[in-house]
Amino acid sequence: MASQCSLSTLFPIQSELDCALDDSTTEQEKENLVKDYLEKLDEKEDLKIPDFQTDGLVIVGVHSAKFPNEKALDNIRSAVLRYDICHPVVNDSEARLWHDLEVSCWPTLVLLGPRGNLLFSLVGEGHRERLALFTASALRHYGERGLLKTHAVGVKLYRDSLPPSVLSFPGKVAVDGIEKRLAIADTGHHRILVVSTAGQLLHAVGGPKSGRRDGDFSEASFSSPQGVAIKGEAVYVADTENHLIRKIDLLERRVSTLAGVGAQGTDKEGGAMGPQQPISSPWDVTLGSAGGGEGNVLWIAMAGTHQIWALFLADGKLPKGSECKAGTCVRWAGSGNEENRNNAYPHKAGFAQPSGLASAPEEPWGCLYVADSESSTVRTLALKDGAVKSLVGGEWDPLNLFAFGDVDGKGVDSKLQHPLGVAWAPEQSRLYVADSYNHKIKVVDPKAKQCSTLAGTGEAGDTLGPEFDKSRFNEPGGICIGDGGKLLYVADTNNHQVKVLDLFSKTVSLFPISRDCVDAVPTNPSAPTKAPTLPRSAARKEMPPAAVSAGQTLVMSLALSLPEGTKLTEGAPSCWALSAEGNEWLLEGRVLTGDIVDLSKPFSISTKIPAVIKDFNSSPSLTLGVWLYYCLETGNACMMKAASFKQPLQIGADGGEEETSVTLAHAF
């Protein structure tokens, strides 16, 4: 660098301006202060940095890495794509500019004048208003002097050359073992996918552009959602860039806001009702219990304020805390300081961008596991008293956030690098960790505090293996466990995939996701999709008419049973299809389909009767077809059988209950 000028030269000069701005009361007064400051600054020659020649407003990001993984150009390119950054980014891998300018904090913003001279510096977060003031004042000041040129900088975005994919930088993944469904945060597409464990896309909510809107599935929007938790017909979402907690009601097909105001907050205490409580960059969520019924609280990894919060879905009580009413959103643990500080008192503990949560309520564990990314640790948060303890990674100095690496071992002797996800397997009493910047999946024995590599070579890549030790990942960010502890689902973020690790066969496979969504509205409603053809041997049942109302939801409860000594053929496409041939308007021109994976209990199929009835004098009906593949439990003989149910409807104009149900049953 041709000049030894640094930010230490600028800070004493700018500090006088900052103090004056803090005392000012009007926008005009602030603008005048900045104008006077710039005029005095123009007289100084010692603030010039000749390496930076600018003649307009040019935004350049300079990336100075903390972690070794952040130095690799491919990883920076992925981060630029993931966060939808549209300005040029320089990879200052050896932090040369950082040291020359004497930068000391992430992030640091520096504004330069047209002579390459230092104007302003903003250190840390939360300076949006002052940045706007400085930028507008500088553009006006130098524009009036004819020192700025209006021209565009040619930028070709790398993202525009990429092929389309089902997923884009998936952040987190969660499983509902009972319903056999996955919820996937398709972060880069700003949407949430609900997928059957067989890969059938059941719901796609939001996207492809970012937004912040509640409402039905056709209008709801998210902005870079990360954490997801799914139970029954509810999906809870950490809508990260919107600073909101959202709920997706799969039955009502609606999205609502449970917490947050839509802008990043600085409150580190909380206690207000959810929609009135500002929150900051929620990164993960998990359901739990706190002084009430099962699932009465949603734990939140609040990365922006380095804390763990609680959103009460029903009345409850925090450990050693006061009663909390349903809807309350409050800090549970973490002082708000960015630290690796363990403490018996939860409010005195310190986290550093907690990014992953896993609940282990059963004894002797009784805790939340926390992937604390910036301290490169996994911590425990006791559900009984809120005590925060170290499990693996990091070191004993609470202020050292640079104790990272890739070392298998015990407690603090083991090393991680920016872990983002954790998953608890109660069947094995094991914790699985997405060790993101090491491109590995690790497993922890919490009793022995022993951490070891499960899968991944440690090099970024996309190799299925199929063996664990030959597989390669690229910054896996989310992880969950399913099928009774047999399978690990991994959001392999930079590979835009979900991968499945079979913990018994020790193999890795790609989780396929169909591109066709069951509840997606076709682009041409006048050309309805046809249901699969029923074989001639299929049983056909005519049901008694069901009385429904316009706008009402019809729930069809279907119970199917197989012949004794048989079972569904694993991996075969057993499915159902709901159609309305001759009355396509009933389903808005669609045919609804879904997988059949479990016959141990009845399953429900829901559809909403249109609010506008086209013909009250007709005799509309729905047809539900089922196709089952099953085989003998003691042999290899397999077969396919089908059946259909024709359900006539008597539609009235007067609304009654929100839903009505019919029961269907068949024994093959």
Side-chain angles (χ1 to χ4, degrees):
M1 181 169 285
S3 171
Q4 295 300 313
C5 175
S6 70
L7 295 181
S8 61
T9 310
L10 177 67
F11 285 151
I13 305 170
Q14 186 182 327
S15 63
E16 295 181 14
L17 172 65
D18 290 332
C19 292
L21 288 172
D22 290 339
D23 294 335
S24 62
T25 57
T26 67
E27 287 301 314
Q28 188 60 55
E29 187 179 354
K30 293 178 181 178
E31 291 176 6
N32 291 338
L33 287 169
V34 177
K35 180 181 179 181
D36 294 341
Y37 167 86
L38 289 172
E39 289 177 348
K40 293 178 182 178
L41 217 61
D42 287 341
E43 300 173 359
K44 295 181 175 293
E45 291 294 330
D46 58 343
L47 294 176
K48 191 175 180 181
I49 304 178
D51 293 319
F52 285 84
Q53 298 295 332
T54 61
D55 52 14
L57 177 59
V58 180
I59 300 173
V60 178
V62 180
H63 174 73
S64 300
K66 169 185 173 180
F67 296 98
N69 181 72
E70 294 176 331
K71 295 182 178 182
L73 185 60
D74 285 344
N75 298 335
I76 296 169
R77 182 183 292 115
S78 293
V80 168
L81 291 170
R82 182 163 64 246
Y83 295 113
D84 200 21
I85 295 172
C86 297
H87 59 257
V89 175
V90 176
N91 180 16
D92 187 15
S93 60
E94 300 306 318
R96 177 184 173 185
L97 185 60
W98 175 286
H99 294 302
D100 286 345
L101 284 180
E102 299 181 15
V103 176
S104 61
C105 177
W106 289 283
T108 293
L109 302 178
V110 178
L111 279 74
L112 302 179
R115 296 184 293 111
N117 53 313
L118 285 170
L119 300 181
F120 308 97
S121 179
L122 296 168
V123 179
E125 299 177 337
H127 303 297
R128 183 187 185 99
E129 292 183 0
R130 193 150 291 185
L131 175 62
L133 171 65
F134 288 168
T135 304
S137 297
L139 287 172
R140 184 166 50 251
H141 175 77
Y142 291 110
E144 291 172 352
R145 285 156 178 74
L147 297 176
L148 300 181
K149 297 178 182 178
T150 56
H151 61 83
V153 177
V155 176
K156 183 179 180 180
L157 297 180
Y158 174 65
R159 70 182 184 192
D160 294 338
S161 64
L162 297 177
S165 61
V166 175
L167 296 175
S168 174
F169 298 104
K172 303 289 184 184
V173 59
V175 65
D176 183 343
I178 296 176
E179 298 293 338
K180 296 186 182 298
R181 294 184 293 196
L182 293 175
I184 303 170
D186 189 9
T187 308
H189 286 144
H190 308 287
R191 64 179 182 169
I192 304 298
L193 304 184
V194 179
V195 186
S196 75
T197 52
Q200 175 65 52
L201 182 54
L202 305 176
H203 306 279
V205 190
K209 301 295 184 180
S210 64
R212 179 172 66 89
R213 188 171 182 179
D214 288 340
D216 62 40
F217 284 5
S218 64
E219 60 185 5
S221 55
F222 303 87
S223 184
S224 298
Q226 285 285 343
V228 284
I230 180 171
K231 184 177 182 180
E233 300 299 325
V235 181
Y236 300 94
V237 181
D239 192 6
T240 305
E241 291 298 318
N242 278 328
H243 310 286
L244 298 174
I245 300 298
R246 315 285 290 280
K247 179 184 178 181
I248 301 174
D249 189 319
L250 298 176
L251 193 59
E252 294 295 326
R253 296 172 50 82
R254 292 192 65 81
V255 176
S256 58
T257 294
L258 299 183
V261 297
Q264 187 168 23
T266 58
D267 185 0
K268 296 180 180 179
E269 296 293 335
M273 298 302 289
Q276 286 79 49
Q277 176 61 58
I279 60 176
S280 179
S281 300
W283 213 271
D284 200 10
V285 290
T286 191
L287 286 161
S289 300
E294 182 180 354
N296 73 322
V297 69
L298 189 72
W299 304 118
I300 306 168
M302 205 71 76
T305 55
H306 314 294
Q307 295 172 315
I308 308 301
W309 283 48
L311 172 62
F312 281 86
L313 306 176
D315 292 352
K317 181 181 180 181
L318 285 173
K320 295 186 177 180
S322 58
E323 298 289 337
C324 293
K325 294 294 184 182
T328 305
C329 189
V330 62
R331 178 265 299 255
W332 178 27
S335 64
N337 297 324
E338 189 174 14
E339 299 175 327
N340 175 23
R341 187 179 300 277
N342 301 301
N343 201 290
Y345 297 93
H347 289 184
K348 293 184 178 181
F351 297 92
Q353 293 184 21
S355 302
L357 296 175
S359 179
E362 61 276 359
E363 294 299 334
W365 318 112
C367 69
L368 275 184
Y369 292 107
V370 181
D372 200 37
S373 62
E374 279 297 304
S375 68
S376 295
T377 65
V378 175
R379 324 271 285 283
T380 63
L381 180 51
L383 296 173
K384 183 178 180 180
D385 57 15
V388 178
K389 298 180 181 179
S390 171
L391 183 61
V392 293
E395 63 129 281
W396 297 118
D397 181 358
L399 300 181
N400 184 2
L401 302 182
F402 286 78
F404 52 79
D406 184 8
V407 180
D408 290 351
K410 183 176 181 179
V412 296
D413 293 332
S414 64
K415 292 293 179 281
L416 308 169
Q417 188 182 178
H418 203 269
L420 289 175
V422 282
W424 173 245
E427 301 87 355
Q428 310 158 21
S429 294
R430 291 293 182 270
L431 182 74
Y432 295 92
V433 182
D435 192 5
S436 304
Y437 281 5
N438 282 326
H439 315 290
K440 286 184 174 182
I441 305 302
K442 294 187 176 179
V443 59
V444 178
D445 177 350
K447 184 176 182 180
K449 291 190 174 183
Q450 189 72 33
C451 178
S452 58
T453 297
L454 176 72
T457 64
E459 296 181 358
D462 183 15
T463 305
L464 291 177
E467 297 88 349
F468 281 0
D469 60 351
K470 293 182 174 61
S471 300
R472 297 171 76 186
F473 305 88
N474 195 335
E475 294 190 17
I479 188 170
C480 68
I481 193 156
D483 198 16
K486 299 177 183 177
L487 302 177
L488 272 179
Y489 296 95
V490 176
D492 195 5
T493 303
N494 286 358
N495 282 325
H496 315 292
Q497 299 169 347
V498 172
K499 288 176 177 171
V500 184
L501 280 63
D502 189 313
L503 298 175
F504 284 78
S505 65
K506 305 296 182 183
T507 58
V508 182
S509 60
L510 181 65
F511 180 66
I513 301 175
S514 65
R515 289 181 176 269
D516 297 324
C517 181
V518 168
D519 70 354
V521 178
T523 56
N524 183 8
S526 62
T529 304
K530 291 186 177 180
T533 302
L534 285 164
R536 291 185 178 181
S537 60
R540 289 170 168 81
K541 293 191 172 185
E542 181 91 14
M543 307 304 296
V548 295
S549 301
Q552 191 177 47
T553 297
L554 174 65
V555 180
M556 309 175 80
S557 178
L558 179 59
L560 302 174
S561 59
L562 296 175
E564 187 175 352
T566 64
K567 62 178 182 179
L568 284 176
T569 306
E570 188 173 352
S574 297
C575 64
W576 57 265
L578 184 64
S579 60
E581 189 173 350
N583 296 280
E584 283 79 9
W585 59 271
L586 276 171
L587 299 177
E588 297 178 328
R590 298 174 294 162
V591 171
L592 307 183
T593 62
D595 296 324
I596 298 176
V597 294
D598 182 16
L599 299 182
S600 63
K601 62 177 183 178
F603 58 94
S604 297
I605 299 163
S606 302
T607 183
K608 193 169 185 178
I609 305 300
V612 178
I613 306 303
K614 293 192 174 182
D615 186 359
F616 281 102
N617 296 320
S618 66
S619 301
S621 64
L622 296 171
T623 300
L624 178 62
V626 294
W627 292 259
L628 296 186
Y629 295 80
Y630 58 94
C631 55
L632 295 173
E633 292 179 342
T634 56
N636 295 323
C638 296
M639 61 209 79
M640 189 279 283
K641 296 288 185 180
S644 73
F645 305 83
K646 185 175 182 180
Q647 181 61 68
L649 303 176
Q650 294 177 342
I651 305 178
D654 296 331
E657 299 293 329
E658 290 186 359
E659 67 179 41
T660 187
S661 302
V662 295
T663 301
L664 313 174
H666 181 69
F668 287 91

